[in-house]
Amino acid sequence: MTIDKQLVWVREPNEGFVLARLHELMGEEADVVPLDNKYPRRTCSFEDIFPAGDPNKDVDDNCELMFLNEATLLNNILTRYKKNKIYTYVANILLAVNPYKEIADLYSSNTIKMYQGKSLGQLPPHVFAIADKAFRDMKAFKQSQSIIVSGESGAGKTESTKYILKYLCELWAKSAGPVEQKLLDANPILEAFGNAKTTRNNNSSRFGKFIEVHFSGACSVTGGHISHYLLERSRVCRQAPAERNYHVFYLLCAGAPPPLRTYLRLTKPDDYYYLKSGCTQYFTTPDSEKKISADRKSKDHLAKGGLRDPILDDYEDFQRLNQALSRAGLSEEEKRDVFGAVAGALHLGNITFDEEPGARGGCAVHAHAEPALAAAAALFHVPADMLRRALVSRLMQSARAGHKGTAIMVPLKPHEACSARDALAKAVYGRVFEHVVRRVNRAVPAVAAPYYVGVLDIAGFEYFEMNSFEQFCINYCNEKLQQFFNERILKNEQELYKREGLNVPHIQYVDNQDCIDLIESKNHGIFHYLDEESKLPKPEPSHFTECVHRELGAHSERLHVPRSSRLKAHRELRDHEGFLLRHFAGAVCYSTGQFIEKNNDALHASLGVLMQESDSAFVRELFEEAGAEPARGRLAFQSVGAKFQAQLAQLMDKLGKNGTKFVRCVKPNGSMRGGAGEGGLVLAQLQCSGTGAALQLMEHGYPSRAPFLHLHHTYAPHLPHQLASLSPRTFCEAMVHSLGLSDKDFKLGVSRVFFRPGKYSELDALLRSEPHELQAVVKNVLTWLVRSRWRKSIFAVLSIIKLKNKIVYRRSCLVLIQKCVRGHVVRRRHRPRLAALRQLAALRHNLVDMRRALASLRPAPPAAHPALDALARRLDDAARAVKDNEHMSREQLDSMQATLSKEVEVQMNAIQKAVVEQKNREEQERLRKIEAEIRAAEEAKRIEQEKIRQEEENRRLKAEMEARRKEEERLRHQQPADVAADVIDPLQQDRTDRDRLEQERRDHEMALRLARETNGHVEGSPPQLRRSERVRLQQAAHGKQKHDLSKWKYSELRDTINTSCDIELLEACRHEFHRRLKVYHAWKAKNARKSTLHEQERAPQSVMDAAKSPRVLQKGDILGARHRYFRIPFVRGGAGGDGGTRGWWYAHFDGQYVARQMELHPDKTPVLLRAGADDMQMCELSLDETGLTRKRGAEILPHEFERQWTAHGGPAYAPPPR
């Protein structure tokens, strides 16, 4: 057996995959040698090995790769990324890798014009192509379109959204006047108030937004609308050490002019409690660094310098924000009010509290916090003492003292006052954000539009060392979006193929509906138990967590306790302090300590009333728009989770009604460095986003499609009348055939035409070409139409000829029936006379025999000849009488026949007596000759009997074969059902264990990434993917065997089989050898090119299929002899995919495995294979696995096999030693 040293990809935790070469087969694994010396030689499962092809070649569409698997997908993305080609297609899905640097001329106006009106595939992949595709689909199908931009934090979703809006506005909003600028101005406004720096992204969106660009019936921009989801309000009060608060705080500190800074009473970032817990450095450039005075810079900024990012500059961004707000319609006074409310929330964080002594308890504002209290009160336009009172006490109303109840001021403890202060800051900032979004929407003309193109940009899947309520909501949203992706791309796509009659293989994908139900179920979801806990008089996070584990943990495989995490920091959490939830992208551990607080955004009644009584109309408007009076009682509140679920349900309903385009953003590395790629990180994102399953579907699918009517209406105005007048289906069929496309490049469904990736663009470009270029198309179409009509005419003529021949044939049949019926009637009437004439003819024949006998007599009796002459005359007279007399009765005929028969008999007896006497005389003379003839006859008879005996023996042997086959079939059917289930259940259990191990491997990799980012520690070793169960079974099997062959090499096994005389060792080596062959051939078939599948056929397809079906193993040996011979038909496929010629496949089994094998095909050289010399080309299956013993008529006799083997030059068979 020769192992081809082919180039393969081998799974590696950090790099994703590394290049290696196959070296040795080791059972179900292979020994591989990486090309890079820093990776050691190792043994890997075949499931972790993929063919590599050319690793240096890159393609625009991953569907065009020679081998379609996740290894080649990852290599193509990283190869293109290193060449600054950040965009790649998977059919109609765009993969966008964040370059973390500027790429020249990638988003210029010339590039925008270049992609206008171009189909996908005509130009290199680009986000502009997706935007243009959405616009053209909206225009063609009269349906709104949505572009879902998804990915992890830092993958570039916000930038992709901005470039999509830039493309749409620059091309189709020129005629809309200020609408274009106002739509573009929404980005700096939303980024300033809703984006912040995190450890993974310098410009991370901490809210979700769905931006709609409205189009008129003439497809020009008329307006827009922005919907926002789940602003992370807790970031206003606290951030991680390396993160920042929202950009607007730093923009005000760095870029606000002196008069505004004086009004806002702002200094430097590290003077504020809400900012100094995180990063206090500004984003600057060398130029803007000089414009910021030293008194505005924090200590960290002075010591370390400013942060650098190609798209962020706090000083200049404030100027852009100020201008954008002005263009959005905000006056200087209103802008000052907005900035004042933001600064007021910032000053609130510096208000601290001291506990007051006394029996009543309570707290008071610290003396050092009085300036901050005065600043906040001035910016909110409320009295400082009223604000102080509202912060240190809360208003309670009792319903027992009348309609309005009795108002009671309850003092607060210091920690309760801090919570009230933080709640007010979050409420102010959240309502300022909502107000800004409303003003942006109000600035854009609200014109009713029939269609729109929407862009969804929402926070990607998040997982940190400690995750709270915000991450839980964000990941829940991503679960819903992933389910939408699965349904729209995988489920609905396959259902469409089935409805249209396209034969596309079914693709399996992971359904995350159970995880969504676990979160949002109405009466048994996590959100439900969180809301129920929030309604209790004294809600406790520990009680909520225990309830989740008790009610949901036992019924779901996705919910676990924190100690089941692989990250050490998570294992330190107690069971009542959090839970581990296995999302589609991996396991995330949530700390539930602040779930209840963050789920309830209601203010104390005293704070709400105070803000509604502000002297500022702007502040009053903020709190009136959010609800004039807080609801009394916990049972009437609407939680943040419930609001988010309602918003998300509306969003998913909107997306479901629109056409959808997907942009999958990919984060190349965790350090946000340009040009650096981490294969393991990229691979994890591709797996989580379902790109692998989509690639597998698009390999066999047809992502581009168009209804017949749409294509006809779209291109008919550009074509001559003779083509435009065709029916829609005929028009489409003529167009695709005129291009010379292969049948594999397109399919005609029931109502639309489907194209392989990139093929629709050829048709679109050709049909939109210049008139003189269309002449060739018209000529080809007309030629195809003539040929098509000529074929239909020929078919009609042939059908008519066939019908005419059928009529002629039926006429001849009717004539034959008539002839037979008439003949039967006549024969029945004349049957007695005919019988008499036949009897007379027989008597006349006897006379001829008697004359011949007389001629042989020496001498002849003298009176014999006259007597015979007279008798002949009487017979002639009788025949003539029968023919002439039609009314002769049966009695007359019988009497005449009896008389003549008697006379003939008398003469016959006399002549026979004379002949006998003469023969007796001659008998002695011929005795010697007769005796020789008898001996010859006996010899011939003996040979004939021997032949008959041999045929009977063959029939007996074949009958025994059939009986043996039926007996084996009966034994199989008598196996109890639980035995069969025991065979099938391990297979299902093995698949379940493989899925579990794959999930654990992803969890371990995610934990490794978190540990690297947080300098944490991961306990436990990485799970051995797909091997634990197999190794356990192998070890159990080895424990029952005498010889352990798992480490033997191929050459050692082959030599032992050929030379050993130890029967047990010989059988063990044969089983191990063929087991390895099966694993190797399964891997080769899985990863073979489609064009070479026919070359790997080592046995008929029915034999290979029988090996895939579950089998119930027989106890004991197979019935019958050791040597068995089989013959079945074999059709070997051609190289072009066409069916081959029918031949025969012979197999000689020596025990359980094939010893000799033949393939006989007409007009082809016979293929004779022997065990030990041609193992790679021979069938590796055992006799049980082939199912040949169950095929009726498949088993043949030994001499039948040996006759064919010898006739085609096969050497004599030498059995192995026993």
Side-chain angles (χ1 to χ4, degrees):
M1 179 174 61
T2 302
I3 301 177
D4 47 349
K5 307 288 185 178
Q6 70 179 47
L7 204 62
V8 296
W9 289 105
V10 179
R11 193 181 299 277
E12 204 277 329
N14 295 326
E15 299 297 331
F17 291 92
V18 294
L19 279 174
R21 290 191 182 275
L22 286 176
H23 183 73
E24 178 69 36
L25 297 182
M26 302 297 294
E28 297 183 1
E29 299 172 334
D31 187 19
V32 295
V33 180
L35 300 186
D36 194 338
N37 293 331
K38 71 177 182 180
Y39 299 106
R41 176 175 174 177
R42 54 181 172 155
T43 301
C44 299
S45 169
F46 277 113
E47 296 184 4
D48 293 331
I49 302 175
F50 300 93
D54 185 359
N56 298 320
K57 180 182 178 181
D58 67 278
V59 295
D60 290 344
D61 192 338
N62 289 287
C63 295
E64 299 174 4
L65 292 170
M66 179 181 298
F67 298 102
L68 293 179
N69 53 62
E70 58 184 19
T72 55
L73 172 65
L74 174 64
N75 177 67
N76 187 54
I77 292 174
L78 293 180
T79 301
R80 292 175 60 84
Y81 175 67
K82 294 175 183 177
K83 299 177 183 179
N84 285 337
K85 300 177 180 179
I86 64 173
Y87 293 115
T88 314
Y89 288 132
V90 175
N92 290 347
I93 302 171
L94 180 69
L95 302 181
V97 184
N98 193 340
Y100 290 119
K101 62 181 181 181
E102 293 288 342
I103 299 179
D105 203 35
L106 186 60
Y107 305 106
S108 64
S109 298
N110 292 333
T111 305
I112 291 177
K113 294 178 181 177
M114 183 172 61
Y115 278 88
Q116 183 179 5
K118 298 297 190 298
S119 297
L120 292 183
Q122 285 186 261
L123 294 175
H126 203 289
V127 70
F128 290 163
I130 297 297
D132 189 79
K133 172 69 173 173
F135 173 78
R136 289 188 292 108
D137 286 354
M138 177 199 69
K139 182 178 178 181
F141 299 126
K142 306 300 182 185
Q143 180 188 26
S144 296
Q145 301 292 314
S146 298
I147 302 176
I148 298 179
V149 183
S150 60
E152 285 193 5
S153 178
K157 301 184 299 298
T158 301
E159 292 302 307
S160 296
T161 300
K162 289 196 295 188
Y163 289 126
I164 292 173
L165 294 176
K166 176 182 178 182
Y167 182 86
L168 296 174
C169 292
E170 187 163 331
L171 288 180
W172 293 287
K174 295 296 184 182
S175 61
V179 174
E180 173 192 7
Q181 187 60 45
K182 290 179 179 179
L183 285 173
L184 297 178
D185 284 338
N187 281 318
I189 297 174
L190 295 177
E191 287 183 16
F193 287 90
N195 289 22
K197 176 189 180 301
T198 65
T199 57
R200 298 177 179 176
N201 185 7
N202 289 336
N203 193 30
S204 176
S205 296
R206 308 317 299 165
F207 71 105
K209 59 179 178 290
F210 185 65
I211 303 177
E212 302 173 9
V213 181
H214 295 169
F215 289 85
S216 64
C219 294
S220 61
V221 175
T222 60
H225 185 268
I226 300 174
S227 303
H228 67 93
Y229 307 94
L230 194 67
L231 178 70
E232 186 183 3
R233 299 189 180 189
S234 61
R235 180 169 291 272
V236 176
C237 303
R238 61 184 62 87
Q239 314 89 38
E243 298 185 353
R244 296 204 318 175
N245 210 320
Y246 288 105
H247 291 328
V248 66
F249 295 114
Y250 305 90
L251 267 58
L252 288 173
C253 292
L260 180 60
R261 287 171 54 84
T262 303
Y263 171 73
L264 300 178
R265 306 184 187 186
L266 293 178
T267 56
K268 54 185 181 295
D270 52 1
D271 289 339
Y272 300 100
Y273 174 76
Y274 284 164
L275 301 183
K276 66 182 180 181
S277 62
C279 175
T280 57
Q281 296 167 263
Y282 296 129
F283 280 103
T284 60
T285 63
D287 293 336
S288 62
E289 181 78 26
K290 301 175 183 178
K291 299 178 182 179
I292 304 176
S293 59
D295 60 340
R296 300 187 185 186
K297 299 177 182 178
S298 64
K299 295 180 180 179
D300 284 347
H301 189 103
L302 293 173
K304 303 177 182 178
L307 302 173
R308 294 290 189 265
D309 190 278
I311 62 173
L312 295 178
D313 183 346
D314 289 337
Y315 183 87
E316 297 297 337
D317 285 347
F318 176 79
Q319 314 306 324
R320 285 190 283 269
L321 171 63
N322 194 33
Q323 296 171 7
L325 290 173
S326 297
R327 287 193 291 266
L330 275 73
S331 63
E332 292 298 326
E333 182 181 356
E334 189 171 1
K335 287 191 294 183
R336 191 176 64 172
D337 289 339
V338 170
F339 293 145
V342 172
L346 192 60
H347 287 295
L348 281 175
N350 288 352
I351 301 177
T352 58
F353 304 93
D354 289 333
E355 186 173 3
E356 283 191 339
R360 188 179 181 187
C363 64
V365 175
H366 195 280
H368 296 296
E370 287 296 336
L373 177 67
L379 292 173
F380 293 148
H381 298 277
V382 296
D385 57 341
M386 296 293 292
L387 178 59
R388 178 187 296 105
R389 185 185 307 169
L391 288 174
V392 300
S393 61
R394 65 185 176 95
L395 178 66
M396 292 187 62
Q397 285 183 314
S398 173
R400 296 183 179 180
H403 176 68
K404 295 184 179 181
T406 302
I408 305 173
M409 297 301 295
V410 180
L412 300 177
K413 297 179 181 179
H415 72 277
E416 294 176 335
C418 289
S419 298
R421 173 202 66 192
D422 293 343
L424 178 59
K426 290 186 288 185
V428 169
Y429 190 83
R431 292 169 187 181
V432 168
F433 181 79
E434 293 176 357
H435 174 79
V436 170
V437 173
R438 283 194 296 271
R439 286 306 311 266
V440 171
N441 286 331
R442 193 184 308 168
V444 180
V447 180
Y451 314 111
Y452 65 85
V453 174
V455 185
L456 176 63
D457 174 15
I458 200 163
F461 184 79
E462 289 190 347
Y463 52 97
F464 303 100
E465 183 175 344
M466 283 297 131
N467 304 278
S468 188
F469 183 71
E470 293 83 7
Q471 284 72 41
F472 180 74
C473 293
I474 290 172
N475 294 341
Y476 161 61
C477 175
N478 280 271
E479 287 281 359
K480 297 284 285 186
L481 291 177
Q482 182 64 26
Q483 183 192 45
F484 179 77
F485 174 81
N486 291 341
E487 291 182 353
R488 183 60 61 94
I489 295 298
L490 302 177
K491 181 181 178 181
N492 294 351
E493 189 82 1
Q494 296 188 78
E495 290 178 354
L496 176 63
Y497 291 157
K498 186 176 181 180
R499 288 197 307 270
E500 293 288 335
L502 276 64
N503 187 19
V504 175
H506 182 72
I507 304 300
Q508 297 290 342
Y509 59 91
V510 178
D511 188 2
N512 62 338
Q513 182 61 47
D514 57 335
C515 184
I516 295 175
D517 293 339
L518 183 67
I519 297 173
E520 70 174 10
S521 181
K522 186 174 182 181
N523 295 320
H524 300 284
I526 296 177
F527 274 128
H528 168 73
Y529 290 115
L530 180 60
D531 290 346
E532 291 298 315
E533 184 70 28
S534 300
K535 295 175 183 179
L536 297 178
K538 292 185 178 181
E540 292 292 337
S542 59
H543 181 264
F544 157 69
T545 310
E546 292 172 354
C547 181
V548 168
H549 286 303
R550 182 178 64 254
E551 299 295 335
L552 303 178
H555 307 290
S556 176
E557 292 296 329
R558 291 184 177 267
L559 187 68
H560 302 275
V561 294
R563 62 175 180 271
S564 63
S565 173
R566 291 186 173 271
L567 197 64
K568 184 178 180 180
H570 294 166
R571 296 186 179 185
E572 296 176 354
L573 289 176
R574 298 183 178 181
D575 292 353
H576 65 271
E577 293 177 344
F579 57 84
L580 184 77
L581 187 60
R582 296 187 182 276
H583 292 281
F584 73 95
V588 179
C589 186
Y590 296 101
S591 175
T592 57
Q594 296 180 344
F595 265 46
I596 296 176
E597 175 188 347
K598 294 179 179 180
N599 188 47
N600 185 0
D601 62 350
L603 282 175
H604 291 166
S606 55
L607 289 174
V609 171
L610 175 64
M611 301 306 287
Q612 291 172 16
E613 294 176 352
S614 169
D615 295 335
S616 170
F618 174 75
V619 175
R620 290 198 305 272
E621 180 184 0
L622 289 181
F623 284 83
E624 289 173 356
E625 290 174 349
E629 182 181 355
R632 286 187 297 176
R634 292 181 174 271
L635 298 179
F637 88 106
Q638 185 180 16
S639 66
V640 175
K643 293 178 183 177
F644 183 62
Q645 287 187 82
Q647 290 178 334
L648 189 57
Q650 295 176 359
L651 174 64
M652 300 309 299
D653 183 64
K654 184 180 295 186
L655 293 178
K657 296 177 181 178
N658 298 347
T660 311
K661 309 293 179 290
F662 291 93
V663 177
R664 294 295 200 187
C665 296
V666 179
K667 184 179 181 180
N669 58 74
S671 56
M672 295 183 285
R673 292 181 291 110
E678 299 176 6
L681 175 63
V682 174
L683 179 62
Q685 294 174 75
L686 295 175
Q687 292 172 339
C688 293
S689 64
T691 306
L695 179 65
Q696 188 179 4
L697 174 62
M698 296 311 174
E699 175 187 1
H700 306 283
Y702 300 85
S704 300
R705 76 290 308 271
F708 296 141
L709 286 173
H710 166 64
L711 274 180
H712 185 264
H713 293 162
T714 301
Y715 298 113
H718 304 283
L719 298 176
H721 175 73
Q722 51 190 344
L723 298 185
S725 60
L726 297 174
S727 64
R729 183 183 179 89
T730 305
F731 172 83
C732 295
E733 188 175 2
M735 288 294 103
V736 295
H737 281 94
S738 66
L739 289 176
L741 295 179
S742 170
D743 291 341
K744 297 180 180 179
D745 293 334
F746 74 94
K747 291 290 184 182
L748 293 174
V750 176
S751 62
R752 63 196 73 195
V753 58
F754 295 81
F755 295 93
R756 296 286 292 157
K759 297 301 178 181
Y760 180 74
S761 61
E762 298 179 13
L763 176 65
D764 182 68
L766 188 60
L767 295 180
R768 292 182 181 274
S769 56
E770 298 298 328
H772 65 277
E773 297 178 359
L774 283 175
Q775 293 179 0
V777 178
V778 174
K779 182 178 179 181
N780 292 338
V781 172
L782 294 177
T783 301
W784 182 85
L785 288 174
V786 171
R787 290 177 180 174
S788 177
R789 291 166 181 168
W790 177 247
R791 293 192 195 98
K792 292 178 181 178
S793 301
I794 292 176
F795 178 77
V797 172
L798 291 177
S799 299
I800 293 173
I801 294 174
K802 185 176 181 180
L803 181 61
K804 175 253 185 184
N805 293 337
K806 185 177 293 187
I807 294 174
V808 172
Y809 170 74
R810 290 184 176 180
R811 180 180 178 184
S812 63
C813 292
L814 292 175
V815 171
L816 179 62
I817 292 173
Q818 291 178 356
K819 181 181 71 173
C820 294
V821 170
R822 291 174 182 174
H824 172 72
V825 173
V826 173
R827 282 191 295 274
R828 187 176 62 179
R829 189 176 63 182
H830 299 289
R831 184 175 292 113
R833 295 169 60 216
L834 292 174
L837 290 175
R838 284 194 292 270
Q839 292 175 354
L840 292 176
L843 293 176
R844 191 179 295 108
H845 183 69
N846 290 340
L847 288 181
V848 174
D849 293 340
M850 286 187 289
R851 291 183 187 278
R852 192 179 298 112
L854 283 175
S856 64
L857 290 177
R858 299 291 186 272
H865 285 289
L868 291 179
D869 293 339
L871 187 56
R873 288 193 295 272
R874 294 190 59 186
L875 289 174
D876 293 338
D877 295 339
R880 191 178 302 109
V882 171
K883 292 179 180 179
D884 295 340
N885 189 3
E886 296 183 0
H887 302 288
M888 186 174 289
S889 64
R890 182 180 294 275
E891 290 76 9
Q892 292 175 340
L893 293 173
D894 292 343
S895 176
M896 179 181 62
Q897 178 185 354
T899 302
L900 294 176
S901 298
K902 186 176 181 180
E903 293 179 0
V904 171
E905 184 179 359
V906 171
Q907 293 294 332
M908 177 70 74
N909 291 336
I911 295 174
Q912 286 179 348
K913 183 178 180 181
V915 170
V916 169
E917 290 176 354
Q918 183 175 342
K919 287 183 177 181
N920 288 336
R921 289 192 301 269
E922 297 173 350
E923 187 68 23
Q924 294 298 327
E925 298 177 356
R926 299 197 304 270
L927 183 60
R928 190 178 296 108
K929 187 182 295 184
I930 294 173
E931 185 177 358
E933 293 176 355
I934 291 174
R935 284 199 299 271
E938 288 177 350
E939 181 64 18
K941 183 176 180 181
R942 186 188 65 78
I943 294 174
E944 182 67 18
Q945 290 177 347
E946 181 65 20
K947 182 178 179 181
I948 294 173
R949 187 190 64 78
Q950 185 64 36
E951 292 177 353
E952 291 178 350
E953 180 66 14
N954 291 342
R955 284 194 296 271
R956 183 185 64 78
L957 291 176
K958 290 185 177 180
E960 290 180 356
M961 291 179 186
E962 181 64 17
R964 181 169 54 205
R965 184 189 67 80
K966 292 181 178 179
E967 179 64 16
E968 292 174 350
E969 188 70 18
R970 184 184 65 80
L971 291 177
R972 277 192 295 272
H973 286 302
Q974 287 181 353
Q975 292 288 348
D978 56 345
V979 175
D982 291 339
V983 176
I984 299 175
D985 288 343
L987 299 178
Q988 180 66 29
Q989 183 64 31
D990 184 59
R991 286 193 294 269
T992 304
D993 292 340
R994 288 170 185 263
D995 294 341
R996 177 179 57 78
L997 289 174
E998 178 66 15
Q999 180 67 51
E1000 291 181 1
R1001 181 184 67 79
R1002 292 186 182 178
D1003 295 345
H1004 183 79
E1005 292 178 0
M1006 183 179 295
L1008 281 175
R1009 291 169 55 190
L1010 281 175
R1012 285 197 294 268
E1013 294 177 1
T1014 60
N1015 295 324
H1017 175 67
V1018 177
E1019 292 186 353
S1021 58
Q1024 297 297 322
L1025 290 180
R1026 312 174 181 86
R1027 296 179 52 193
S1028 59
E1029 186 65 14
R1030 180 174 63 254
V1031 170
R1032 184 183 65 77
L1033 294 178
Q1034 288 180 352
Q1035 292 175 350
H1038 290 161
K1040 299 179 181 178
Q1041 294 180 358
K1042 182 177 180 181
H1043 304 282
D1044 183 7
L1045 306 177
S1046 61
K1047 303 299 183 180
W1048 284 35
K1049 293 187 177 180
Y1050 160 77
S1051 56
E1052 296 172 348
L1053 294 175
R1054 187 72 272 172
D1055 293 341
T1056 304
I1057 292 174
N1058 292 332
T1059 60
S1060 176
C1061 295
D1062 187 341
I1063 295 179
E1064 293 182 359
L1065 177 60
L1066 183 63
E1067 288 299 318
C1069 289
R1070 293 186 71 189
H1071 285 293
E1072 177 63 14
F1073 178 75
H1074 284 85
R1075 187 182 69 82
R1076 295 187 183 185
L1077 277 181
K1078 280 182 253 180
V1079 175
Y1080 179 71
H1081 285 307
W1083 174 80
K1084 290 283 286 184
K1086 177 181 177 182
N1087 295 282
R1089 300 182 187 177
K1090 294 176 280 188
S1091 60
T1092 61
L1093 286 176
H1094 70 282
E1095 297 176 2
Q1096 301 181 13
E1097 296 179 351
R1098 302 171 300 285
Q1101 189 63 37
S1102 59
V1103 173
M1104 305 307 291
D1105 292 341
K1108 299 177 183 177
S1109 60
R1111 305 179 307 281
V1112 179
L1113 300 179
Q1114 299 291 337
K1115 295 183 180 179
D1117 297 331
I1118 298 179
L1119 297 176
R1122 167 184 170 80
H1123 294 274
R1124 300 182 72 171
Y1125 303 82
F1126 298 87
R1127 177 188 67 185
I1128 60 174
F1130 187 14
V1131 179
R1132 180 177 287 277
D1138 300 327
T1141 57
R1142 176 188 175 97
W1144 293 95
W1145 184 77
Y1146 292 77
H1148 167 206
F1149 283 85
D1150 185 355
Q1152 274 290 326
Y1153 299 102
V1154 178
R1156 290 180 291 174
Q1157 176 177 319
M1158 280 191 297
E1159 290 183 31
L1160 304 181
H1161 295 274
D1163 303 326
K1164 290 186 179 180
T1165 304
V1167 179
L1168 281 69
L1169 306 174
R1170 295 178 300 156
D1174 308 298
D1175 296 304
M1176 285 298 291
Q1177 290 80 34
M1178 295 179 64
C1179 177
E1180 72 277 12
L1181 304 178
S1182 66
L1183 182 57
D1184 288 337
E1185 294 170 331
T1186 61
L1188 290 173
T1189 58
R1190 301 189 294 274
K1191 294 182 180 293
R1192 184 174 183 180
E1195 190 169 2
I1196 60 175
L1197 298 175
H1199 74 272
E1200 295 178 289
F1201 181 94
E1202 296 294 346
R1203 181 171 63 249
Q1204 295 292 339
W1205 180 266
T1206 305
H1208 292 89
Y1213 176 63
R1218 289 289 172 183

